[in-house]
Amino acid sequence: PLGAQLSALVSDLASSKHPVDARVLKRKLPVEQQSQFGQAVLKAMGFDLEAGRLDVAAHPFCSGLAPGDTRLTTRYTSDSFLEPLYGTMHEGGHGLYEQGLPKGDLFGQPLGDSISLGIHESQSRLWENFVGRSRAFWTWAWPLAQRTFKPVLDDVSLDQAYACANVVERSFIRVEADEATYNLHIMLRFGLERAIVNRDLDLKDLPGEWNRQFKEMFGLDVPDDRRGCLQDVHWSFGLVGYFPTYTLGNLYAAQFWEAAHRAMPHLEQDMARGQFLPLRDWLRANIHVHGRRYRAEELCRKVTGKDLEAAPLLRHLEGKLRPLYRV
């Protein structure tokens, strides 16, 4: 159900008579101030910078090297601070998982390691999207952003900032895609992977088939393979079957998010005051601490009481984006 309902949602949002103007936050901001803002958000999330660090790289990543050594990277752009912010929060979510694992005496053993790529991705997506794109987060973060970047953002309201954080726009590049269109990128890739593995699609025909399906799914003509089938490194690395872990992460994150709200009815109010440690501690107690004690699907049932399903993610996206776009 995810593909069909997401396509319908994206189509409705694209036809809205009240589109969000993302240009409001397209402003040149010093990298030093962007880094300062990102570090402040990381600290509020509960990432221990005494047991980790944040550096710059061409592609953001997280590496939990050893107990007490979790390294994050992000990248900065000169014309907007949102992409660097969400890259930092995404990798920070991975980092919180690594710091929450019971490594100590269990380092190198299953109980001291993460469960799966899907569960790992759920932690990064939860912080990036469910926290970082929420109105509660921006209620706390927007005054901080205005102070950090003063006076560049003085004329932008909280409502405008929140809307810009939730822009939905069909685009070519997966890693730059918004919450609503992101999983469509994954479905395109996984369908093509299966066709290649099953020998229903010759590799020489991949660019043309990519472009055809992309046009059907997104309504865009792919201008070149750099923005088409060659944009990701996964296939050249031999990582066939990797892409679905991203959508699994989004699905797990939505289900965990609903469970966290049931356990902490005041979660939104806490976040609006910049109190994110209750959420971090809940994730640590219910997910991180178990290491590989359970398989991913078992952990999902233990934490949420249900098997993995698409409904929580669809509720999240529909409930947030339709009011924002008035459709």
Side-chain angles (χ1 to χ4, degrees):
L2 188 62
Q5 292 187 50
L6 278 180
S7 295
L9 173 62
V10 170
S11 178
D12 288 349
L13 298 177
S15 62
S16 169
K17 295 180 181 179
H18 305 279
V20 173
D21 185 2
R23 295 172 299 177
V24 171
L25 288 186
K26 293 288 185 181
R27 306 184 181 202
K28 292 191 178 299
L29 299 167
V31 167
E32 294 80 9
Q33 292 177 0
Q34 293 186 48
S35 176
Q36 178 185 342
F37 183 64
Q39 297 255 4
V41 171
L42 268 184
K43 184 177 180 181
M45 288 166 56
F47 182 79
D48 185 358
L49 286 162
E50 295 298 317
R53 54 184 291 153
L54 176 67
D55 291 291
V56 177
H59 186 85
F61 66 88
C62 166
S63 181
L65 295 176
D69 191 358
T70 300
R71 306 190 186 193
L72 313 178
T73 69
T74 193
R75 63 186 179 195
Y76 299 101
T77 59
S78 62
D79 62 347
S80 174
F81 74 98
L82 287 182
E83 183 183 338
L85 169 66
Y86 289 127
T88 299
M89 293 187 73
H90 180 99
E91 301 310 329
H94 282 304
L96 287 174
Y97 188 16
E98 289 293 326
Q99 290 187 341
L101 289 168
K103 291 182 177 179
D105 295 338
L106 297 174
F107 181 63
Q109 300 182 43
L111 287 177
D113 203 356
S114 58
I115 300 168
S116 70
L117 292 170
I119 295 297
H120 223 310
E121 194 67 19
S122 78
Q123 301 305 284
S124 59
R125 291 291 176 178
L126 188 146
W127 284 99
E128 174 192 357
N129 292 330
F130 292 82
V131 174
R133 300 185 195 274
S134 70
R135 187 173 186 86
F137 171 81
W138 282 108
T139 299
W140 166 76
W142 189 239
L144 174 62
Q146 289 183 310
R147 290 195 301 272
T148 303
F149 300 111
K150 193 173 184 60
V152 182
L153 302 178
D154 286 357
D155 62 326
V156 182
S157 70
L158 168 61
D159 287 343
Q160 289 174 305
Y162 170 65
C164 286
N166 288 285
V167 167
V168 175
E169 186 176 28
R170 296 183 178 106
S171 59
F172 297 108
I173 306 301
R174 173 187 64 86
V175 297
E176 298 173 1
D178 56 79
E179 263 191 293
T181 61
Y182 184 90
N183 293 296
L184 297 177
H185 286 266
I186 302 304
M187 293 174 190
L188 168 69
R189 287 154 173 75
F190 188 47
L192 291 170
E193 281 185 339
R194 288 169 55 162
I196 292 169
V197 170
N198 290 331
R199 299 189 178 182
D200 296 327
L201 176 65
D202 290 333
L203 277 177
K204 64 180 176 62
D205 297 324
L206 174 61
E209 185 61 16
W210 174 293
N211 296 350
R212 185 188 70 79
Q213 292 192 26
F214 197 92
K215 174 72 172 180
E216 286 184 357
M217 192 174 289
F218 292 89
L220 300 174
D221 292 309
V222 179
D224 51 56
D225 292 340
R226 182 173 62 85
R227 284 169 283 186
C229 65
L230 295 182
Q231 66 180 266
D232 288 301
V233 301
H234 299 60
W235 288 338
S236 61
F237 279 2
L239 296 174
V240 175
Y242 190 111
F243 283 116
T245 65
Y246 294 121
T247 290
L248 285 170
N250 289 329
L251 293 169
Y252 281 125
Q255 210 153 319
F256 293 151
W257 184 245
E258 289 192 349
H261 274 77
R262 290 194 296 270
M264 296 178 287
H266 302 294
L267 178 57
E268 298 288 330
Q269 295 94 312
D270 287 343
M271 293 197 308
R273 295 191 295 268
Q275 297 176 9
F276 301 100
L277 294 187
L279 175 61
R280 184 207 64 178
D281 293 344
W282 183 88
L283 293 169
R284 187 162 286 180
N286 288 276
I287 297 171
H288 306 171
V289 73
H290 294 301
R292 287 189 177 181
R293 186 181 304 275
Y294 306 102
R295 293 177 64 87
E297 60 269 26
E298 295 173 314
L299 181 72
C300 182
R301 285 194 294 271
K302 178 177 176 59
V303 175
T304 72
K306 296 181 180 180
D307 291 328
L308 184 64
E309 56 184 4
L313 180 58
L314 289 167
R315 280 195 292 269
H316 164 72
L317 293 173
E318 296 266 355
K320 177 172 64 171
L321 297 174
R322 286 194 181 277
L324 191 61
Y325 277 78
R326 303 186 213 174
V327 295

